[in-house]
Amino acid sequence: MSAAFEVIGGQPLRGEIVPQGAKNEALQIICAVLLTAEPVTISNIPDIRDVNKLIELLADMGVKVERLGAETYRFQADAVNLDYLDTPAFIKQARELRGSVMILGPMLARFGKCQLPKPGGDKIGRRPLDTHFVGLQKLGGELKVEGTDFYKISSAGKLHGAHMLLDEASVTGTANIVMGAVLAEGTTTIYNAACEPYLQQLCKMLVRMGARIQGIGSNLLTIEGVERLGGTEHRMLPDMIEIGSFIGLAAMTGSEITIKNCQIPELGLIPDTFRKLGIKLEYRGDDIFVPAQDRYEIATYLDGSILTISDHTWPGFTPDLLSIALVVATQAKGTVLIHQKMFESRLFFVDKLIDMGAQITLCDPHRAIVIGLDKRHALRGITMTSPDIRAGVALLIAALSAEGKSTILNVEQIDRGYQNIDGRLQALGAQIKRV
């Protein structure tokens, strides 16, 4: 029997909350320890299932893992056991975790081979791995596909630099190619590279390890391969998805919340997107203060037409926060079109919000029109299932704002991306318990 959250909603919350380290950054940074035999110390690692499973996978591959504190680990990949990749245990672990795909680049670059079953992850539509493999093949990797979902990649000698134009600015794809290119011979240029803060963090860490990368933060990366990389220390950014989620939570529940240590310059369009939904935000040093608001009103375009909020590759608005923006809009004054361009089944949770009393029209798998209730009617508590990590938290925010009791099933989905979310919400005064 899986766990559930029981939530009694309709209460304003109050207090301070500290965002965890960024999950999407952690998955890349932890894979990068495979590029060197020297120790790498990483801090602000979130204690969540997807990250813990990846750390476990590396430990089973022979990486020395030492926990130095609650969120700090030291890794040393000086005795990687390549034979472990042939075991049923490895195949099972890698299948369960989408983040495992990012061992490909480092393993190929340093050891000349890697293999992987098709990894798992969220059910949010098709997420092909072609960008990863095409890029690594251009660097000299030879790919063999066994059956429909087992991939073996190897190289005869060292990888060699190449010029490539990515067909999509995939964050994990770019990370894999960068990690392959840093140890390749010669120069690699990657155009249409992803430039999310997660990836900038990875590149900055690799540079501290001795890599030569130019263009960090842009969509054109130039990488001069080096012979070897050394150890380093790295601190992860706070999770911008959590920060956006807490902004939405404050607005929906009419709460006064301070979000601590946000690394505000790295948040891109996130604060302004929530401001367009009518949410007031104040920067206090590196904290974001969200005052208690009885009502908030969605902006329109200058000509009075309905606002559209859509996702885009960085520096656009991250797809991971569209479900939060959608939920927040259900209680705003005004109307907004939410356009999810990058995945095809991330909006399918809106039926639960409609059951709670929200006014939403799902136009097609990618678009939903939300007509805000202006807090005239509260949503009502229901029993619902969390389909993926991000929708799960959006539904949790809806439940905290709703009248009566809600039950959210399948909370393992939420635990994959948010550490101790129930404990941290209880500290703000939320009535939430795990059953």
Side-chain angles (χ1 to χ4, degrees), residues 363-422:
C363 311
D364 57 45
H366 292 275
R367 292 178 304 164
I369 293 170
V370 184
I371 300 166
L373 296 168
D374 194 15
K375 297 206 174 177
R376 284 193 303 271
H377 316 287
L379 300 179
R380 44 181 186 271
I382 61 165
T383 296
M384 48 197 159
T385 301
S386 163
D388 66 69
I389 297 177
R390 306 306 176 189
V393 171
L395 294 172
L396 181 54
I397 291 170
L400 286 164
S401 80
E403 271 179 7
K405 184 173 103 170
S406 294
T407 306
I408 301 177
L409 308 172
N410 194 20
V411 298
E412 285 80 6
Q413 280 287 8
I414 297 174
D415 292 335
R416 284 181 43 210
Y418 295 81
Q419 70 186 25
N420 184 26
I421 189 75
D422 42 334

Side-chain angles (χ1 to χ4, degrees), residues 254-275:
S255 304
E256 179 185 297
I257 294 178
T258 301
I259 309 164
K260 303 292 288 178
N261 310 332
C262 293
Q263 293 277 342
I264 293 167
E266 304 290 346
L267 293 176
L269 285 174
I270 292 169
D272 282 346
T273 303
F274 284 104
R275 286 188 175 114

Side-chain angles (χ1 to χ4, degrees), residues 232-298:
T232 190
E233 293 183 4
H234 179 82
R235 182 171 176 81
M236 314 236 297
L237 288 175
D239 197 311
M240 61 182 174
I241 314 305
E242 270 214 346
I243 293 167
S245 302
F246 298 147
I247 292 170
L249 169 71
M252 273 293 271
T253 55
S255 304
E256 179 185 297
I257 294 178
T258 301
I259 309 164
K260 303 292 288 178
N261 310 332
C262 293
Q263 293 277 342
I264 293 167
E266 304 290 346
L267 293 176
L269 285 174
I270 292 169
D272 282 346
T273 303
F274 284 104
R275 286 188 175 114
K276 284 180 187 169
L277 292 172
I279 302 171
K280 294 190 172 75
L281 306 174
E282 286 172 32
Y283 296 158
R284 298 183 171 179
D286 198 33
D287 301 344
I288 296 177
F289 172 73
V290 190
Q293 274 177 269
D294 293 334
R295 299 172 63 221
Y296 47 96
E297 184 170 355
I298 298 170

Side-chain angles (χ1 to χ4, degrees), residues 86-384:
D86 289 317
T87 63
F90 169 77
I91 291 165
K92 179 175 183 292
Q93 280 171 302
R95 239 189 240 296
E96 285 174 359
L97 176 68
R98 191 163 176 86
S100 64
V101 71
M102 283 179 290
I103 69 172
L104 285 169
M107 292 292 290
L108 182 64
R110 188 161 155 230
F111 301 108
K113 63 178 185 179
C114 191
Q115 60 189 38
L116 209 59
K118 188 176 179 181
D122 267 338
K123 304 272 182 287
I124 52 175
R126 291 174 58 254
R127 301 170 85 178
L129 296 175
D130 295 45
T131 307
H132 299 250
F133 288 116
V134 169
L136 293 173
Q137 283 173 299
K138 287 196 171 140
L139 295 174
E142 285 184 28
L143 178 65
K144 284 193 185 128
V145 184
E146 296 186 355
T148 53
D149 67 348
F150 196 79
Y151 307 106
K152 286 188 169 185
I153 193 160
S154 60
S155 64
K158 273 194 81 157
L159 296 179
H160 50 76
H163 173 69
M164 58 187 86
L165 178 58
L166 303 190
D167 61 346
E168 63 163 332
S170 156
V171 177
T172 52
T174 303
N176 242 335
I177 297 163
V178 166
M179 289 190 281
V182 288
L183 290 177
E185 279 177 357
T187 305
T188 299
T189 48
I190 309 170
Y191 201 12
N192 195 28
C195 51
E196 269 73 358
Y198 316 127
L199 205 98
Q200 297 179 38
Q201 286 281 98
L202 172 69
C203 289
K204 288 171 187 170
M205 172 172 131
L206 292 172
V207 167
R208 287 198 303 277
M209 292 167 73
R212 297 166 71 178
I213 306 172
Q214 286 180 310
I216 297 172
S218 78
N219 68 347
L220 177 58
L221 293 173
T222 305
I223 301 167
E224 298 278 346
V226 296
E227 270 296 308
R228 55 180 291 282
L229 295 175
T232 190
E233 293 183 4
H234 179 82
R235 182 171 176 81
M236 314 236 297
L237 288 175
D239 197 311
M240 61 182 174
I241 314 305
E242 270 214 346
I243 293 167
S245 302
F246 298 147
I247 292 170
L249 169 71
M252 273 293 271
T253 55
S255 304
E256 179 185 297
I257 294 178
T258 301
I259 309 164
K260 303 292 288 178
N261 310 332
C262 293
Q263 293 277 342
I264 293 167
E266 304 290 346
L267 293 176
L269 285 174
I270 292 169
D272 282 346
T273 303
F274 284 104
R275 286 188 175 114
K276 284 180 187 169
L277 292 172
I279 302 171
K280 294 190 172 75
L281 306 174
E282 286 172 32
Y283 296 158
R284 298 183 171 179
D286 198 33
D287 301 344
I288 296 177
F289 172 73
V290 190
Q293 274 177 269
D294 293 334
R295 299 172 63 221
Y296 47 96
E297 184 170 355
I298 298 170
T300 57
Y301 290 112
L302 291 175
D303 64 0
S305 57
I306 291 174
L307 180 72
T308 297
I309 292 181
S310 57
D311 57 338
H312 202 278
T313 49
W314 194 266
F317 188 63
T318 168
D320 286 342
L321 281 171
L322 267 190
S323 50
I324 307 292
L326 187 149
V327 161
V328 168
T330 63
Q331 283 295 2
K333 179 182 181 187
T335 302
V336 64
L337 172 66
I338 302 284
H339 190 171
Q340 166 66 278
K341 295 175 183 174
M342 293 167 74
F343 299 104
E344 44 279 282
S345 45
R346 270 225 171 141
L347 293 181
F348 289 167
F349 75 100
V350 299
D351 55 343
K352 326 269 195 306
L353 297 173
I354 294 166
D355 290 346
M356 296 174 84
Q359 294 193 318
I360 304 170
T361 302
L362 190 61
C363 311
D364 57 45
H366 292 275
R367 292 178 304 164
I369 293 170
V370 184
I371 300 166
L373 296 168
D374 194 15
K375 297 206 174 177
R376 284 193 303 271
H377 316 287
L379 300 179
R380 44 181 186 271
I382 61 165
T383 296
M384 48 197 159

Side-chain angles (χ1 to χ4, degrees), residues 4 52 390 433:
N52 293 336
R390 306 306 176 189
K433 65 177 186 196

